[in-house]
Amino acid sequence: MARKAVCCGLSSLELMLIVLFLLMTGITIGLITVLAINLNSQTPEPEEPTPSVSPPENPYLIGVGRADCTGPVADVPLMGYANPDQTAGGIHTRLFSRAFIVDDGSKRVVFVNADIGMVSQRLRLEVLKELELKYGDLYRQENVILSGTHTHSGLAGYFQYTLFIITSKGYIKSSIQPIVNGIVKSIDVAHKNMRPGRIFVSKGEIVGSNLNRSPHSYLNNPEEERNRYKSNTDEQIVTLKFTDLDGDGMGVFSWFAVHPVSMNYTNRMVSSDNLGYASYLFEQEKNIGYLPGEGPFVAAFATANSGDVTPNTRGPYCINTGERCDYLNSSCPIGGTRMCVAFGPGNDIFDSTRIIGENIYRKAKELYGSAKQELRGSVHAAHQWVNMTDVTVQLDSTHSVKTCKPALGHSFAAGTIDGGGDLNFTQGAVEGDPFWDGIRDALLGAPSKEIQECHNPKPILFSTGEMNWPFPWHPDIVDVQIITIGSVAIVAVPGEATTMSGRRIREGVKQELEKNAAFTNSEVVITGLCNIYTHYITTYEEYQVQRYEGASTIYGPHTLSAYIQHFRGLARAIAEGKVGELPKGPEPPFFSNLFSLLGEPPVDRSPENTTFGDVLQQVHPVYKVGEVASVTFVAGNPRNSGEMRDKTFVTVEKFHNSTSTWEVVHTDASWETRFYWIKGTANQSNATVEWHIPLSAESGTYRIRHFGHYKQRVIFPVITAYEGSSHTFRVTKTLYSL
């Protein structure tokens, strides 16, 4: 009774408390649920790539690959300014080959873009030979395009024609082999990585990043033709976006008309220049956590119709007076063409390279992000070899013209505003010079009357088509090639087409393709410096002015018409499904007994009481972000290191206290590092390494290391590896944060 009385006596209070507890619990749970739902609605799920439309039933097979193709970074001439004394002395950025393979299930095409001056005929033949050994006839001359970015800070020595042999110090095996190996490896990587994917095309404009360097020639084109365009340069950028079927990015390929000569004729460092920097930025953004040149995402930037286009957007000035250069012939009253140089947009060549590269990268990134037009349909490839010295061009039903044996005009020796000649030649010369013509006649022989008449109004300086010792000076047999992916056509131009020349080629190819409904609204892109180098391609009207580009149009005034005729023929064969009926054409030569004019590197010597890798000038103990850390080592000749692809002469390393280990944060492939090799006297040399510390660098302890090899001679040459390290130093956000 007592227990029951206690229970029943507290029941009303207990019941009230229980009700209140349950009520509060319910309210609390409700509030938590509402809050959770609200927070979930405000915090989006991690964004997954979603295709714009359903993937095609038969997707392309896509492979992308990249490989180092950097050769010896000492003593070898840089390829671009035709100056054998402009030899390599270090690394600004490494050079890479980037390959893209697309397969529609029955046909396959390959496009390679390499950080080199241009593709030579010998280089292409060597690469195709290696591909045949590995893959049989899977990758061959019909379906493989090799292009060069046209950096003028790549290495020379990979040509088989005499003119280029002279300006490159010969045929240098140690220079061509890394390029061949790098191109083949990039194709190997792409081949191994092939998987189903999708391709999207987009295009936009980049304003203020290119300038016509021969506007006087451009103005000689018909006014009605010029009025169809708003600029005397092509400001269009075309971008292909490659993804897998899940929408994850695999790569990007972009075309923009600009000369990679931001690193100008004063530069001695191997560099991929402005287009290479655009690739660097895109790849670094996509390949998070990887060092430069590593990671799965591949970004290639090719030059288009850039023959008369400079990135030096401030234009030409007389560097000795500060005055504007003469408009017609780009020369100065004192010093001639050598004093007339274009600059900008930056404060120096590195800054200009950065600005132009960033501009191109930013627009390509925008187009990549917004690309929605998907490519569908077959892939095609058409290729022919053509004897460009003997092409008859049918202008109309009653008139025809012919191309010429190759020759260079007087204005070729004048150079351009991106790098003028040393002698008293000027652009726009339509008459010869008795003094120089007399020297030429005595040394090389006079041009024949036939070749002079064929090239008129060009005053011939070198009649290269009539010069064959020790090898022909210029090629006769030239590649013409087109590949198509869906409605996009890539025209492989074997030289440097000017702005208007490129427009005319594009127009002709587009007209032929669009006769087939499958190519309606086709997008035709020009890729220069492909497969073989044949200098410049101007319009007939530009040729009459005989500035540098016209003087360097080696097959005469009708060169462009001949190329258009052949490219139209390739496009017609693709559109009509008759590629198999195209004549192969005469095969190019493969010369033996090529020779080098570059001797073997001598033995290395170190200063007294030092050894290789010792530090001659130490780093400071502390640097603030934005400053430059510099250290100088006793060095050997980098050529003694042999092939250094996929290796590095430099590392910048950060110390981790938690693990007591060093992490490599930069190599000589990084934009932030510069590796200068300085040749001294008595076979001694130094290596200065600079680290331009980015604002994003973490505070902490760092060191800079240098790796190399030196040569000694005992009974026979002995190559020995060495390395050196700076003292450790601190990097801080401000000097007051120690």
Side-chain angles (χ1 to χ4, degrees), residues 311-391:
N312 298 309
T313 52
R314 291 184 191 171
Y317 289 85
C318 297
I319 57 176
N320 52 352
T321 65
E323 298 176 353
R324 279 281 187 181
C325 302
D326 178 84
Y327 173 77
L328 294 179
N329 56 33
S330 299
S331 65
C332 298
I334 302 173
T337 55
R338 186 63 177 173
M339 291 293 109
C340 178
V341 181
F343 292 100
N347 298 320
D348 57 32
I349 58 177
F350 300 100
D351 195 33
S352 292
T353 301
R354 177 190 61 79
I355 293 170
I356 298 297
E358 283 181 350
N359 290 348
I360 298 169
Y361 152 73
R362 279 197 297 265
K363 190 63 181 182
K365 178 184 174 183
E366 175 191 322
L367 294 173
Y368 179 92
S370 61
K372 289 183 172 57
Q373 181 183 341
E374 184 167 7
L375 298 184
R376 299 172 185 265
S378 302
V379 301
H380 301 278
H383 171 278
Q384 283 183 303
W385 284 304
V386 177
N387 183 351
M388 276 298 293
T389 71
D390 188 27
V391 177

Side-chain angles (χ1 to χ4, degrees), residues 447-502:
S448 67
K449 182 180 179 182
E450 176 189 5
I451 202 168
Q452 290 186 66
E453 290 177 349
C454 188
H455 278 269
N456 185 58
K458 177 193 293 179
I460 294 175
L461 181 62
F462 297 120
S463 181
T464 54
E466 299 176 316
M467 298 158 63
N468 295 294
W469 187 88
F471 307 101
W473 281 50
H474 267 145
D476 292 345
I477 310 304
V478 174
D479 297 71
V480 290
Q481 188 175 18
I482 296 176
I483 63 174
T484 63
I485 305 170
S487 59
V488 169
I490 301 171
V491 182
V493 176
E496 304 182 56
T498 61
T499 299
M500 195 63 84
S501 292

